[in-house]
Amino acid sequence: MNLESDVRDLWQRYDDGDVDAESATVDELDTLDAFLDALEAGEVRAAEKTGSDVTSWEANEWVKRGILLNFGLRETLAREYGDVRYHDVLPLRDTEDLGDRGTRNTPDGTAIRRGAYLGSDCIMMSPSFVNVGAHVGDGTLVDSCDTVGSCAQIGANVKLGANTLIGGVLEPVEDAPVVVEDGAALGAGCRVTSGFVVGENSIVGENTLLTPRIPVYDLVDEEIYYGHLPANRRAFTRFVESSLGDLDLFAGGAYKPAVVALDIEDDTLDATRREEALRE
């Protein structure tokens, strides 16, 4: 049997109530450890792009179930990391392999949970956190006060500005997680949640909220999108009139948040390239 079939079989027995944290055997826990090792090596991922379009990301449900098994079949234990004591079902990730790949994580506050992948030449500034199942591509910057949630898929050469939140998702297992594709740059204070997909090479202004509930007014395609930002866009928050204004509940009418997307301008790209030069 391969890893996928082992995880599927173990999930079925767990779902049927035949195994739990108290009855899990060494062999079953070894399967979970091998699964976490595969996540950390980038051999399996919680979601994959099945086509060329930004909307073609699909969840690997067996991978998400494997992560859930690590919570369902493990007991919470007292653990230590440096001088910090904590209680969790999973330890933090061993980071010995990062140096060999040129990836840096600064001291006093960078935490990588077991089952997370970081590629080559990444930078994690403290404090920041990458959760189980997340996949962070080569050359990506995770800046100070950033959180990369469970199963989030972050592409190569992405810049996550300071105080950026990338939401996580484990359930329902069929839902694809948050995705930020290659080359995208998110300004400080951005929030990306609920399976939203940021297209490659797009630049998002600071403090922008990207979620499927907020419309993206794409002035390039002249379309309104929900749940994704197309590739090669410059996006920022604006407020548009709300239907609540018709009810006269607010003086001057009511407004709701929206995202406006334009072509990336040359000066915006030049500024991004100058910032990237600081890494060289």
Side-chain angles (χ1 to χ4, degrees):
M1 296 179 72
N2 60 25
L3 183 59
E4 179 177 348
S5 59
D6 287 345
V7 169
R8 289 186 181 278
D9 176 69
L10 187 53
W11 174 266
Q12 188 61 58
R13 289 188 286 122
Y14 170 73
D15 196 43
D16 291 340
D18 296 333
V19 61
D20 58 19
E22 293 184 356
S23 63
T25 66
V26 171
D27 286 344
E28 290 161 345
L29 294 178
D30 285 346
T31 295
L32 297 183
D33 283 336
F35 170 75
L36 293 175
D37 289 342
L39 280 172
E40 293 177 6
E43 296 168 357
V44 298
R45 296 177 64 166
E48 293 179 299
K49 195 173 184 179
T50 59
S52 59
D53 190 75
V54 69
T55 62
S56 64
W57 284 86
E58 294 183 6
N60 285 327
E61 52 86 16
W62 77 269
V63 174
K64 295 178 73 176
R65 285 177 174 170
I67 296 172
L68 290 170
L69 283 171
N70 274 277
F71 292 96
L73 298 183
R74 295 184 188 271
E75 296 182 327
T76 298
L77 300 176
R79 305 178 185 276
E80 292 188 9
Y81 183 77
D83 296 329
V84 177
R85 296 183 179 180
Y86 66 102
H87 293 76
D88 199 359
V89 294
L90 289 176
L92 294 181
R93 185 192 192 284
D94 190 328
T95 59
E96 289 185 2
D97 61 316
L98 300 185
D100 294 337
R101 298 204 299 274
T103 288
R104 293 182 277 154
N105 61 312
T106 59
D108 294 332
T110 53
I112 311 169
R113 207 173 190 194
R114 185 86 160 89
Y117 171 83
L118 268 74
S120 300
D121 300 316
C122 294
I123 298 175
M124 274 188 71
M125 300 299 295
S126 59
S128 58
F129 176 62
V130 178
N131 206 350
V132 58
H135 185 103
V136 179
D138 296 346
T140 286
L141 168 65
V142 180
D143 211 340
S144 297
C145 301
D146 287 354
T147 296
V148 179
S150 56
C151 298
Q153 304 294 295
I154 310 299
N157 302 311
V158 169
K159 179 183 180 253
L160 302 180
N163 198 31
T164 291
L165 169 66
I166 305 297
V169 61
L170 282 174
E171 297 186 272
V173 293
E174 296 84 5
D175 279 7
V178 170
V179 177
V180 182
E181 292 190 336
D182 295 352
L186 275 61
C190 285
R191 302 289 186 268
V192 190
T193 68
S194 303
F196 194 96
V197 181
V198 179
E200 64 181 10
N201 299 320
S202 286
I203 297 174
V204 182
E206 61 183 22
N207 296 318
T208 299
L209 173 60
L210 299 174
T211 181
R213 296 176 296 278
I214 293 179
V216 175
Y217 290 85
D218 184 26
L219 303 186
V220 178
D221 292 340
E222 296 185 351
E223 296 282 353
I224 300 175
Y225 296 116
Y226 288 88
H228 72 276
L229 173 67
N232 302 302
R233 298 294 193 268
R234 181 169 61 91
F236 48 88
T237 297
R238 287 294 183 267
F239 287 86
V240 298
E241 290 187 8
S242 168
S243 60
L244 289 176
D246 298 334
L247 302 177
D248 295 327
L249 292 177
F250 304 97
Y255 293 84
K256 62 183 179 182
V259 174
V260 175
L262 307 170
D263 269 321
I264 296 178
E265 298 176 352
D266 290 340
D267 58 349
T268 303
L269 287 174
D270 288 343
T272 302
R273 294 189 188 102
R274 286 195 298 271
E275 190 166 318
E276 289 172 348
L278 297 175
R279 297 171 58 104
E280 298 178 354

